[in-house]
């Protein structure tokens, strides 16, 4: 995946995993370091992770959360209380928090705001990277939490900028900045009877636009937010581009018609404007309801009127000089928040790394091995060499050794050296083994399954219930058989033609044979000389056609045929109503095509038509007939 993205820093949001869900392929990625922020309580909810390529960049500090009240791994001291040389800085004060969050119920509860795994901060010598996943606008019950999170983020970014640090803010902010960034801006304003000023003055959007250089703020700016501090990199490279959306609703299949919104951003502080050579979205990269947003930095950047190589300021001092590596990355450069230092993964390596490593040098033989080699011609095996079995393993006739007993020792060189000593030990041990007929390793006995012909027959599946009973079953009954003379044998099967045979009527129950009636001879004309058995059926016995029964069961369990949409005559798709109300939970049929760019159902176009049918009102049988 990282090779496809061709990037050096990757920020993921909404990972929806907990610590117990982490796997080797998530943490032990060869050549990459990782920093997780996982939800503390809610399962499968939110989550942010940042991956950094070790060959290009190495952060000098790392933190989880916005407020600084969380603690590093294996420490009871919060990030904001660490020594200054270990802090990223810019932490909100209680006065700032109380002023900004006075309208919410989370005025001082910073732990609650940082408990959902929504922010990872990494500091490089060049800038501070903030990867966030902002709460979405779901319902009113989360409004306080959402505004509290955004206010706290605004305070932290402004504080960092005021201290002279450069900032890059990136991630899913769940806010569309202006009309150009959402496909349904006009319909939303019309539906809610809002003006443009009211639309851009909603609390979350107004707060976000205060941060941005080109953000629309109606009326006077808020106290403490008199000036913007961030630049929208992607919009800066494409100022008037329409349809540059990064998120689409999957329930209505809105991505093919590009009916979406731009809620994912890469923002930077003003001194970094000239550092970037390009920025865009990757709308063709599938796999999520979002698409990636990227920004590319130049190789040479200007800091304090001095041109430097980007690698020199993306790593600890002394690791790079003029873009050339001077120190190799090592374990001492890992930060406490690194995923590779999580106890479950600490001092471990991925399977891929195990095979990439060069073979270790042969271990020095122990004193016992050296003494044994002086008296006996013992076998010498290193960790990277396997002996020639033809030359070292004696024949079974010579030593009485069964090769099957040492198969388990051939799985690895170490096991071979440890387990395969008996035939090559001292003469005394060889003599003891020759006197004993026991094998070196006990072999489990393997039970042989009985032949298929003698296995008990029975119904193996529901499908067998509908199959007619095989004709060969009749031949298993001990019934007197009178056969007409014939020159060749034929299998028992129903035929028609001209030949004279005799039939023996048989009466049987469903479970076992109960009686055999006296043979009554009849003469029929058939094409071959053979026997055909027939059972007289009482007039009161009801006969069920197995084929007809099978079709009845298939109709019972099969899904009803879908109606066809009016606009395209294509089978409709079934969805379930999730909106609260009297119809919540009801299923309905609708056109399978995606929404068009207008976001409305259209008539006479290639996009979704106006077909809508409640599943309870649809009768496929009556329509088909």
């Amino acid at each position: 995946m990282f090779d496809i993205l061709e990037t050096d820093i990757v920020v993921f949001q909404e990972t929806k995993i907990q610590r117990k869900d982490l796997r080797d392929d998530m943490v032990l990625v060869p050549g990459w370091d990782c920093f997780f922020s996982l939800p503390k309580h809610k399962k499968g909810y939110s989550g942010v992770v940042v991956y950094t390529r070790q060959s290009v960049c190495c952060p000098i500090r790392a933190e989880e959360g916005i407020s600084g009240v969380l603690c590093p791994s294996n420490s009871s001291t919060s990030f904001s209380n660490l020594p200054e040389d270990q802090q990223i800085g810019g932490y909100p004060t209680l006065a700032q928090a109380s002023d900004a969050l006075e309208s919410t119920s989370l005025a001082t509860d910073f732990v609650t705001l940082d408990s959902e795994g929504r922010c990872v901060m990494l500091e490089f010598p060049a800038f501070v990277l903030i990867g966030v996943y902002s709460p979405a606008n779901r319902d009113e019950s989360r409004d306080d939490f959402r505004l509290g999170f955004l206010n706290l983020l605004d305070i932290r970014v402004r504080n960092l900028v005021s201290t002279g640090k450069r900032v890059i803010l990136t991630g899913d902010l769940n806010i569309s900045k202006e009309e150009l960034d959402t496909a349904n801006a006009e319909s939303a304003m019309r539906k809610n009877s809002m003006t443009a000023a009211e639309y851009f003055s909603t609390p979350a959007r107004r707060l976000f636009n205060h941060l941005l250089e080109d953000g629309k703020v109606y009326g006077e700016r808020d106290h403490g937010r008199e000036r913007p501090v961030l630049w929208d990199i992607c919009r800066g490279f494409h100022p008037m581009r329409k349809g540059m959306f990064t998120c689409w609703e999957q329930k209505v299949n809105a991505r093919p018609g590009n009916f979406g919104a731009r809620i994912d951003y890469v923002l930077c502080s003003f001194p970094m404007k000239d550092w970037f050579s390009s920025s865009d979205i990757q709308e063709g990269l599938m796999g999520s309801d979002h698409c990636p947003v990227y920004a590319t930095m130049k190789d040479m950047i200007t800091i304090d009127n001095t041109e430097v190589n980007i690698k020199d300021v993306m790593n600890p001092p002394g690791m790079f000089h003029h873009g050339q590596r001077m120190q190799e990355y090592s374990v001492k450069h890992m930060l406490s928040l690194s995923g590779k230092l999580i106890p479950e993964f600490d001092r471990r390596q991925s399977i891929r790394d195990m095979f990439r490593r060069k073979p270790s040098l042969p271990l020095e033989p122990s004193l016992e091995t050296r003494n044994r080699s002086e008296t006996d011609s013992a076998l010498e095996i290193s960790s990277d060499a396997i002996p020639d079995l033809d030359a070292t393993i004696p024949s079974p006739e010579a030593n009485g050794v069964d090769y099957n007993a040492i198969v388990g020792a051939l799985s690895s060189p170490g096991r071979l050296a440890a387990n395969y000593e008996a035939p090559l030990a001292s003469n005394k041990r060889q003599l003891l083994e020759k006197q004993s007929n026991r094998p070196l390793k006990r072999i489990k006995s393997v039970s042989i399954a009985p032949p298929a012909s003698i296995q008990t027959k029975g119904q193996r599946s529901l499908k067998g219930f509908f199959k007619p009973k095989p004709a060969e079953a009749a031949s298993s009954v001990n019934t007197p058989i009178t056969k007409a003379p014939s020159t060749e044998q034929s299998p028992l099967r129903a035929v028609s033609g001209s030949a004279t045979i005799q039939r023996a009527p048989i009466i049987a129950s469903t479970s076992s044979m109960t009686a055999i009636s006296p043979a009554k001879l009849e003469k029929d004309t058939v094409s071959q000389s053979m026997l055909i058995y027939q059972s007289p059926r009482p007039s009161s016995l009801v006969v069920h056609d197995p084929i007809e029964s099978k079709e009845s069961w298939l109709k019972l369990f099969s899904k009803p045929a879908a109606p066809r949409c009016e606009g395209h005559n294509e089978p409709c798709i079934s969805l379930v109503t999730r909106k609260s109300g009297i119809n919540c939970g009801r299923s309905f049929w609708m056109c399978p095509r995606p929404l068009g760019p207008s976001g409305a159902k259209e008539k006479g176009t290639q996009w979704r038509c106006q077909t809508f049918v409640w599943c309870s009102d649809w009768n496929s049988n009556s329509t088909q007939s």
Side-chain angles (χ1 to χ4, degrees):
M1 177 182 61
F2 297 105
D3 295 335
I4 295 175
L5 294 176
E6 297 180 351
T7 186
D8 300 313
I9 300 176
V10 185
V11 182
F12 292 99
Q13 304 89 37
E14 201 172 359
T15 56
K16 293 186 177 181
I17 58 174
Q18 291 181 305
R19 178 168 167 174
K20 64 181 181 62
D21 301 321
L22 294 175
R23 305 190 307 264
D24 286 4
D25 57 353
M26 300 178 185
V27 179
L28 304 178
V29 182
W32 291 78
D33 204 351
C34 55
F35 305 88
F36 288 89
S37 178
L38 304 174
K40 303 297 185 294
H41 308 293
K42 291 188 176 182
K43 181 180 179 181
Y45 187 77
S46 64
V48 175
V49 58
V50 180
Y51 289 87
T52 59
R53 192 189 296 270
Q54 296 170 342
S55 62
V56 177
C57 56
C58 175
I60 57 176
R61 298 180 186 90
E63 291 185 7
E64 179 185 6
I66 303 175
S67 62
V69 299
L70 300 182
C71 301
S73 302
N74 303 323
S75 175
S76 58
T77 304
S78 62
F79 290 109
S80 59
N81 292 326
L82 292 174
E84 289 189 6
D85 60 339
Q86 301 177 23
Q87 295 181 0
I88 292 180
Y91 306 106
T93 63
L94 290 177
Q96 287 178 321
S98 59
D99 291 341
L101 309 178
E102 60 183 0
S103 60
T104 69
S105 60
L106 302 170
T108 58
D109 195 359
F110 291 164
V111 177
T112 301
L113 291 173
D114 284 337
S115 66
E116 294 188 355
R118 293 186 176 273
C119 180
V120 171
M121 290 192 183
L122 301 181
E123 183 176 3
F124 302 88
F127 57 84
V128 176
L129 173 68
I130 306 177
V132 299
Y133 172 51
S134 177
N137 185 20
R138 301 296 183 191
D139 51 58
E140 296 181 357
S141 63
R142 296 276 291 177
D143 284 350
D144 283 348
F145 186 92
R146 187 183 189 216
L147 291 177
F149 183 89
L150 293 174
N151 273 288
L152 195 59
L153 179 62
D154 177 85
I155 293 172
R156 186 73 187 271
V157 170
R158 292 180 181 275
N159 286 353
L160 287 170
V161 172
S162 64
T163 60
K165 293 190 176 182
R166 292 169 287 270
V167 176
I168 291 182
L169 174 62
T170 182
D172 179 3
L173 298 178
N174 271 312
I175 303 173
S176 55
K177 186 179 66 173
E178 53 183 341
E179 299 103 316
L180 202 61
D181 295 320
T182 178
N184 67 338
E186 295 182 1
S187 61
M189 288 187 285
R190 185 170 55 253
K191 180 180 179 181
N192 298 314
S193 301
M194 301 172 64
T195 63
E198 294 173 337
Y199 180 77
F200 288 103
S201 296
T202 54
R205 186 171 289 107
R206 177 180 174 83
L207 193 156
F208 181 54
N209 280 320
H210 271 85
L211 271 174
L212 301 178
E213 182 183 34
D214 56 345
K216 293 182 179 180
V217 178
Y218 288 84
E220 295 184 1
R221 298 182 69 93
D222 297 345
H223 175 68
R225 304 187 178 104
E226 289 79 11
R227 61 185 183 89
V229 293
L230 296 179
W231 179 56
D232 187 351
I233 303 175
C234 195
R235 182 57 74 187
F237 280 92
H238 311 277
M240 300 305 297
R241 179 177 168 185
K242 296 182 179 180
M244 192 170 62
F245 304 138
T246 63
C247 180
W248 303 266
E249 188 175 355
Q250 287 184 319
K251 293 181 180 179
V252 295
N253 195 19
R255 187 163 186 171
N258 196 28
F259 185 77
R262 189 170 78 99
I263 59 177
D264 304 270
Y265 301 87
V266 181
L267 314 173
C268 72
S269 51
F270 297 153
M272 303 177 64
K273 278 187 176 182
D274 298 332
W275 290 18
F276 296 91
S277 59
S278 64
S279 180
D280 205 344
I281 64 173
Q282 293 180 305
E283 66 273 21
L285 191 59
M286 301 296 182
S288 169
D289 57 339
H290 293 250
C291 77
V293 185
Y294 70 89
T296 305
M297 285 185 173
K298 300 175 183 178
D299 293 335
M300 302 298 295
I301 59 175
T302 302
I303 299 179
D304 299 331
N305 299 323
T306 303
E307 192 175 55
V308 297
N309 191 286
I310 186 64
K311 292 182 179 179
D312 295 354
V313 292
M314 290 296 293
N315 293 273
M319 184 171 286
F320 277 85
H321 182 66
H322 297 306
Q324 299 297 321
R325 179 174 287 277
M326 307 303 293
Q327 294 181 19
E328 290 296 330
Y329 182 88
S330 62
V331 178
K332 70 178 183 179
H333 296 109
M334 284 188 182
L335 303 176
S336 60
L337 194 63
S338 172
K340 294 188 176 182
L341 295 182
I342 297 176
E344 299 91 296
F345 302 94
D346 189 16
R347 302 183 186 278
R348 287 184 52 202
Q349 59 183 354
S350 66
I351 296 179
R352 185 181 302 177
D353 279 346
M354 293 171 61
F355 287 102
R356 283 182 175 178
R357 288 183 180 272
K358 295 180 180 179
S360 59
L361 296 175
L363 298 176
E364 184 179 356
S366 62
L367 179 61
E368 180 184 356
T369 305
R370 289 198 299 268
N371 294 337
R372 187 171 66 246
S373 63
E374 294 175 359
T375 57
D376 304 308
S377 56
L379 177 64
E380 297 180 1
I381 301 177
S382 66
S383 61
D384 57 351
I386 299 179
D388 185 0
L389 296 181
D390 294 337
T392 58
I393 301 178
S395 63
E397 294 80 1
N399 292 302
V401 178
D402 185 4
Y403 283 134
N404 293 328
I406 61 172
V407 169
L410 300 181
S411 60
S412 65
R415 287 188 60 188
L416 179 60
N419 297 338
Y420 189 65
E421 282 186 356
L424 303 171
S426 62
N427 296 333
K428 182 178 180 180
R429 187 171 181 177
Q430 289 182 2
L431 181 61
L432 291 175
E433 289 182 358
K434 289 182 179 180
Q435 293 175 356
S436 177
N437 294 327
R438 293 185 302 171
L440 293 180
K441 186 175 181 181
R442 183 174 297 175
I443 304 174
K444 293 184 179 180
S445 59
V446 180
S447 60
I448 302 176
S453 59
I454 65 173
Q455 292 181 358
T456 57
K457 296 183 178 180
Q459 180 179 321
R460 298 290 180 179
S461 63
L462 185 62
K463 184 178 180 181
F465 177 77
F466 302 105
K467 288 186 177 181
K469 192 174 182 181
E472 62 180 6
S475 62
S476 63
V477 182
N478 294 328
T479 306
I481 298 176
T482 305
K483 182 177 180 181
S486 174
T487 57
E488 62 176 358
Q489 295 287 346
S490 301
L492 187 65
R493 55 193 178 93
V495 293
S496 62
S498 58
T500 302
I501 68 167
Q502 297 175 345
R503 273 192 310 220
I506 300 175
I507 301 176
S509 66
T510 56
S511 59
S512 61
M513 302 302 297
T514 56
I516 300 177
S517 65
K520 181 181 179 181
L521 301 180
E522 286 186 358
K523 294 192 176 182
D524 283 337
T525 304
V526 293
S527 61
Q528 295 184 9
S529 174
M530 60 180 297
L531 286 175
I532 298 180
Y533 298 98
Q534 231 178 17
S535 300
R537 301 186 180 92
S539 58
S540 60
L541 184 63
V542 179
V543 180
H544 297 279
D545 186 1
I547 298 178
E548 183 180 351
S549 299
K550 179 179 180 180
E551 294 178 352
S552 300
W553 280 98
L554 290 177
K555 289 181 180 180
L556 179 62
F557 290 109
S558 60
K559 294 182 179 180
R564 293 186 172 271
C565 64
E566 301 172 358
H568 313 98
N569 196 28
E570 297 177 357
C572 293
I573 57 174
S574 177
L575 299 175
V576 179
T577 305
R578 301 298 183 189
K579 188 176 181 180
S580 59
I582 59 174
N583 291 321
C584 182
R586 292 188 65 184
S587 300
F588 60 91
W589 298 100
M590 65 183 302
C591 178
R593 296 202 174 189
L595 280 176
S598 64
K601 298 178 181 179
E602 303 175 6
K603 188 175 182 179
T605 66
Q606 61 175 332
W607 305 110
R608 177 170 296 170
C609 65
Q610 300 176 349
T611 302
F612 181 91
V613 181
W614 290 112
C615 291
S616 58
D617 299 337
W618 168 248
N619 189 344
S620 59
N621 296 328
S622 62
T623 305
Q624 290 177 351
S625 58

